[in-house]
């Protein structure tokens, strides 16, 4: 997850070059700050970085949007990161596919931190999907492809290829 | 109030009711039930001012019986948010397809639905004007990822499995301790400051079902208790608890939980420390393994090989495995910290001890690295000669390592005639074979002092990673080596360093100790205040590009046949990939090995050419037959231990020197590099006084073996790790005291108490044999890991064996059976006999880690010396009839106060007038007589404590005043003595065990 924060720093245009510590079995990232005991946790640090980069709009601009962003960040660390089986992964993809049916971004019409972190969190999942599965979770695929082409987001992560024409037009 | 309302299901909110779609649900206030709980729903004519964000009442749907209901209801109350609370039965259709039927959901004005309880809470607070902060975010994330899974598991265990108290609480203790630590550490009344925030509500909501009332919290959790009580008594929480937990209390949650899958392992694992180990122990044993283990047991001590005791000096022996171990030579002029110790000498020592127990013919050498500018500088600082400085610090190092029980066969130094002979010989051979180049380089020189400035005192911007405080020889950040003399530098008129024309655009600023910037940023020599100039000087270079063709095949061979840690391979690979360049091996210094070549007679070898040769010369000081170790790759296996920053010197530069010198040298077979050990999530820092340094470890009163155990337990294998005082206490108390120590002590005590000190007869059942096989598996695993120098992981196997042992005793209850019939008594005998033999095995296995503890067990159980050898079998070494000695506890508990005092002392905060030295829990503290001068104190007299506290404060101020005014030393000392006396009286009055108070600065170094 520390690597992910380094990517986020890149996306935000920060050049901190921070070295993140890691805590416990799950390697929860820790950010040392000059004052106080530092910050622990992926979304906590991510939100901190966003504020540092003065891009608060990525945390949502209205109270509602803020809450929705927060919710998807939490979803990322509690649900996506805890997938331990294929079955769990399928549930996540199904949920997201439903949610994204009528939305461009996770929080609606604006690109937010939730999109960035969800993209990082799902990258390893999407890389492994078959063409068929990508079609099955069409909305997730569209969203994912959109985010990975969003300027500055992907960086050194591999580009996941989505085929534009449907292979299985009769697939459900 | 809510009971009646809850009893009938609220019709208005049910979306399933025909003809009442959600959007047309009656406004709140018309429905008694909806408005009943947070009765904040604005009614027509209400005087409540409109909420800043949400204008109309939002619909908050809460499932009866869902545990998360607590926090959202409480948050709605706290934030006085305009929500319409609807209790729904779980079967109802959720507000959005993503909502789980049991989890609360909030429908926002925009129509969007929040389905995460924490996001709902945060929104409600935000709507009430409370913005989230980093700290509240952190608590919310922690609650969601750490606390929730554990609470869910605890609730499940309690309500579904019917477990009670501690058994159900599972891993909760650690998390509660974390809250306690945060509250008391920050000294605030609430989690994120002095006022209530969303963090408090969310954490309280999670904890309430499992704690219910603060009485179940132990006394150690004082701050948590107070906080929890305040929260529970607040109106909002009280209302939430009443409405959610009525009428059946916790049983309200039961039907929900019964429908959940049992909390999955992955979640539990997240909070557990040793997942792999548990998996390993769960492996099913085969019949063959069980039979083999029983056979091995029956063969007894005769099955063990005879321990090998080599003659001194240790020399390679034909036909034996000859292991040569080195640990990176510590630089002489500083005191090593715990990170240095675990990085090299302690890791190497543990491995060397293991090798000896395996009957491998082992030589372990190390010594201080003494040449170089740093020593010269230190000598100038302390007004001694470099030689005297080296003598002084070499003794300090040797002392520290002796205290840590480091079993060097020889601990030498690099400033010896052998060093000169061997280094010059290698140099001459390199010269003769054309591997040296000469070139003129420009270097900074102080004309006044006639000194060139050493690389490590040049600081600048790293050309590779841009780190601004890179040292001239190596960048601390990216670890790359820098050839400082290649980098040329000049000064612009204002004194700023600039690159000279036609040279790499790298800027080097100069810094301590020879140079420092004055306020005008003009570099100055610290000794004479002169301005340094750039001067050309001739130097010799090792032609690494030419040696690369020899290096590559050797590396390939070493990597395919030896064990190199992943970081060692990685660092080496990237170093070669970046291209090898000629490397300067001479320096314009005096304190070093002289260069035996005309034109260079006033120069010495660069420490990094010189220092690794120290391994050879130190061995030469140990035995005149040193070449049998160092020019004998056919018979000798060489292990180099170091921290990762030393890798390139040992994997590229030194092997190139030896390959080029071409004299059949023994080159490294196994390069073992550790990552870094941090201190309490920061770095060790001598200048800031942060961290524990080797010489202070013994002043902590914690025995050397405990230090060894904890450092090895945390050994940074594979990734950085961090030293933590509370974790040290935890590991000592849980792993050593309660697990390992407890088992060995019980096994021995049973023999003494029930069988008169004589090991009883044993009749093994199938269960016993299965245990023998289980122990054998762990033993094998231990060997596999240690053969790969995975020292930390192997330690887990030891702890695992004693865990099996404790369980075995617990299940078989020999203390009960000993009072039973003949059969029971025989069973008690068998269990005791097997257990004490496991203890005997553990004594040997633990020897590389905790040699004194091992020796203590050997003494207590009278283990025959010929059993002190490690093989792959677990056999009966203490047969029936064997007499044991006096058994006593091996470990002592570490107390919280003691650890807190140590944390304060080594924390690196503001220096205090006094330093508290804490003794490791002394055997019952001897009563200290009241000081003759003071009043006779009765412990606990509040008035006296008050008076003394005031006096201490007053006297403390007085001392500070004196110091600030630069008063005479004698006067200050006298006042400090008074202060000490007062503090002692205060401690006595408070009934604390007397601590030894030592004035700062007089602490033994």
């Amino acid at each position: 997850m520390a690597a992910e924060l380094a990517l986020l720093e890149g996306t935000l245009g920060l050049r901190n070059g921070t070295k993140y510590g890691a805590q416990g079995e799950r390697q929860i990232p820790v950010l040392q700050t000059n004052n106080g005991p530092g910050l622990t946790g992926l979304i906590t640090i991510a939100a901190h970085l966003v504020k540092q980069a003065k891009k608060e709009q990525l945390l949502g601009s209205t109270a509602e949007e803020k809450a929705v962003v927060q919710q998807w960040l939490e979803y990322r660390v509690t649900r996506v990161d805890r997938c331990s089986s294929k079955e769990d992964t399928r549930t996540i993809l199904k949920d997201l596919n439903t949610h994204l049916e009528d939305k461009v971004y996770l929080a609606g019409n604006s690109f937010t931190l939730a999109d960035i972190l969800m993209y990082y969190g799902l990258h390893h999942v999407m890389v492994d999907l078959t063409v068929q599965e990508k079609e099955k979770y069409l909305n997730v695929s569209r969203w994912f492809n959109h985010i990975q082409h969003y300027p500055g987001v992907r960086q050194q992560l591999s580009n996941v290829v989505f085929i534009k024409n449907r292979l299985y037009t009769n697939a459900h | 109030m809510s009971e009646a309302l809850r009893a009938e299901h609220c019709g208005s909110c049910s979306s399933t009711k025909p003809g009442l779609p959600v959007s047309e649900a009656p406004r709140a206030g018309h429905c008694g039930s909806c408005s009943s709980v947070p009765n904040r729903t604005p009614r027509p004519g209400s005087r409540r001012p409109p909420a800043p964000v949400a204008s109309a009442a939002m619909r908050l749907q809460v499932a009866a019986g869902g545990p998360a209901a607590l926090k959202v209801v409480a948050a709605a109350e706290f934030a006085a948010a305009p929500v319409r609370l609807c209790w729904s039965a779980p079967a109802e259709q959720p507000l959005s397809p993503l909502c789980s039927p049991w989890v609360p959901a909030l429908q926002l004005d925009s129509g969007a639905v929040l389905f995460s309880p924490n996001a709902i809470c945060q929104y409600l607070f935000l709507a009430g004007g409370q913005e989230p902060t980093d700290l509240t975010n952190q608590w919310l994330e922690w609650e969601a990822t750490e606390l929730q899974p554990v609470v869910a598991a605890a609730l499940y265990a309690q309500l579904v499995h019917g477990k009670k108290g501690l058994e159900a609480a599972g891993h909760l203790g650690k998390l509660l301790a974390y809250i306690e630590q945060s509250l008391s550490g920050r000294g605030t009344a609430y989690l994120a400051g002095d006022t209530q925030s969303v963090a408090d509500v969310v954490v309280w909501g999670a904890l309430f079902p499992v704690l219910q009332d603060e009485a179940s919290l132990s006394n150690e959790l004082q701050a948590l208790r107070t906080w929890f009580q305040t929260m529970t008594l607040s109106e909002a929480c009280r209302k939430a608890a009443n409405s959610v937990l009525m009428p059946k209390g916790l049983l309200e949650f039961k039907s929900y939980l019964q429908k959940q899958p049992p909390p999955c392992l992955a979640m539990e694992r997240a909070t557990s420390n040793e997942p792999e180990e548990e998996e390993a122990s769960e492996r099913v044993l085969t019949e063959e393994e069980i039979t083999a283990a029983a056979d091995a047991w029956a063969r007894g001590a005769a099955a063990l090989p005879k321990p090998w005791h080599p003659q001194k000096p240790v020399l390679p022996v034909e036909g034996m495995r000859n292991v040569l171990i080195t640990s990176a030579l510590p630089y002489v002029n500083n005191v090593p910290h715990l990170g240095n110790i675990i990085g090299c000498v302690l890791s190497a020592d543990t491995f060397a001890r293991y090798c000896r127990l395996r009957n491998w013919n082992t030589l372990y050498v190390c010594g201080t690295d003494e040449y170089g500018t740093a020593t010269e500088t230190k000598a100038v600082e302390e007004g001694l000669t470099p030689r005297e400085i080296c003598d002084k610090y070499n003794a300090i190092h040797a002392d520290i390592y002796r205290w840590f029980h480091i079993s060097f066969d020889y601990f030498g130094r690099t400033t010896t005639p052998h060093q000169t002979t061997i280094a010059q010989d290698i140099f001459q051979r390199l010269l003769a074979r054309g591997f040296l180049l000469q070139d003129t380089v420009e270097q900074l020189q102080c004309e006044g002092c006639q000194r060139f400035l050493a690389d490590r005192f040049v600081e600048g911007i790293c050309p590779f990673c841009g780190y601004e405080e890179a040292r001239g020889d190596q960048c601390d950040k990216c670890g790359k080596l820098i050839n400082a003399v290649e980098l040329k530098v000049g000064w612009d008129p204002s004194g700023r360093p600039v690159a000279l024309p036609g040279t790499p655009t790298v800027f080097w600023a100069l810094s301590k100790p020879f140079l420092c910037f004055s306020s005008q940023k003009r570099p100055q020599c610290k000794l004479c205040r002169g301005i340094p100039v750039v001067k050309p000087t001739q130097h010799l270079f090792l032609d690494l590009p030419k040696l690369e063709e020899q290096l590559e095949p050797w590396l390939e061979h070493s990597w395919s046949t030896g064990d190199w840690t992943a970081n060692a391979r990685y660092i080496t690979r990237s170093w070669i990939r970046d291209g090898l360049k000629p490397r300067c091996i001479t320096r314009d210094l005096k304190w070093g090995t002289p260069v035996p070549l005309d034109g260079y007679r006033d120069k010495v070898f660069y420490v990094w050419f010189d220092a690794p040769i120290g391994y050879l010369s130190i061995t030469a000081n140990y035995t005149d037959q040193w070449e049998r170790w160092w020019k004998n790759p056919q018979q000798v296996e060489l292990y180099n231990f170091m921290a990762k920053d030393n890798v390139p010197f040992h994997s590229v530069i030194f092997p190139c020197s030896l390959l080029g010198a071409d004299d059949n040298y023994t080159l490294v077979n196994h390069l073992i590099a550790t990552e870094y050990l941090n201190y309490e999530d920061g770095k060790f820092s001598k200048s800031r006084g942060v961290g524990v340094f080797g010489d202070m470890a013994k002043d902590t009163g914690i025995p050397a073996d405990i230090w060894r155990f904890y450092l090895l337990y945390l050994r940074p294998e594979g990734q950085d790790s961090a030293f933590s005082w509370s974790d040290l206490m935890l590991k000592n108390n849980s792993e050593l005291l309660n697990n390992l120590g407890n088992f060995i002590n019980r096994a021995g005590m049973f023999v003494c108490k029930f069988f008169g000190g004589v090991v009883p007869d044993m009749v093994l059942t199938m269960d016993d044999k299965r245990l023998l096989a289980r122990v054998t598996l762990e033993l094998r695993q231990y060997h596999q890991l240690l053969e790969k120098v995975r020292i930390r992981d192997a330690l887990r196997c030891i702890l695992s064996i004693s865990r099996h042992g404790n369980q075995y005793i617990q299940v078989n209850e020999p203390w009960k059976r000993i009072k039973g019939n003949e059969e029971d008594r025989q069973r008690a005998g068998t269990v005791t006999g097997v257990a004490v033999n496991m203890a005997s095995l553990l004594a040997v296995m633990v020897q590389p880690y905790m040699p004194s503890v091992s020796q203590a067990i050997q003494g207590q159980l009278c283990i025959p010396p010929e059993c002190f050898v490690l093989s792959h079998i677990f056999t009966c070494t203490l047969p029936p009839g064997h007499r044991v000695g006096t058994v006593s506890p091996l470990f002592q508990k570490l107390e919280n106060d003691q650890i807190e005092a140590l944390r304060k002392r080594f924390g690196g905060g503001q220096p205090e007038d006094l330093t508290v030295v804490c003794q490791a829990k002394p055997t019952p503290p001897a009563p200290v007589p009241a000081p003759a001068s003071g009043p006779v104190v009765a412990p606990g007299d509040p008035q006296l404590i008050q008076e003394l506290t005031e006096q201490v404060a007053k006297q403390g101020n007085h001392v500070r005043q004196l110091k600030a005014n630069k008063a005479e030393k004698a006067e200050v000392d006298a006042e400090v003595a008074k202060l000490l006396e007062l503090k002692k009286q205060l401690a006595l009055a408070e009934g604390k065990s007397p601590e030894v108070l030592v004035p700062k600065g007089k602490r033994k170094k």
Side-chain angles (χ1 to χ4, degrees), chain B residues 264-316:
Chain B
C264 73
L265 265 181
M267 289 182 182
E268 286 193 341
R269 202 173 282 165
T271 53
S272 142
N273 271 333
E274 290 109 28
E276 302 121 277
E277 180 191 315
E278 274 152 27
E279 270 170 5
S281 64
E282 285 321 305
R283 219 198 83 187
V284 181
L285 296 162
T286 64
E287 282 303 315
E288 291 77 29
E289 281 171 332
I290 297 171
T291 320
D295 288 349
W297 167 269
R299 283 157 66 198
L304 294 173
K306 241 175 85 70
W308 156 259
H309 298 293
Q311 292 208 310
K312 303 290 154 110
V314 185
L315 291 172

Side-chain angles (χ1 to χ4, degrees), chain B residues 468-509:
Chain B
E468 286 180 6
E469 288 168 40
R471 282 187 288 122
D473 52 351
Q474 187 173 22
C475 173
D476 283 337
K477 181 123 187 267
C478 68
K480 293 221 167 81
L481 300 186
I482 298 164
N483 221 347
V485 288
E486 283 177 354
L487 303 164
K488 300 169 194 181
V489 71
W491 310 104
D492 70 10
S494 67
R496 287 198 187 85
V498 292
L500 295 175
T503 58
T505 51
V506 178
F507 287 42
W508 286 96

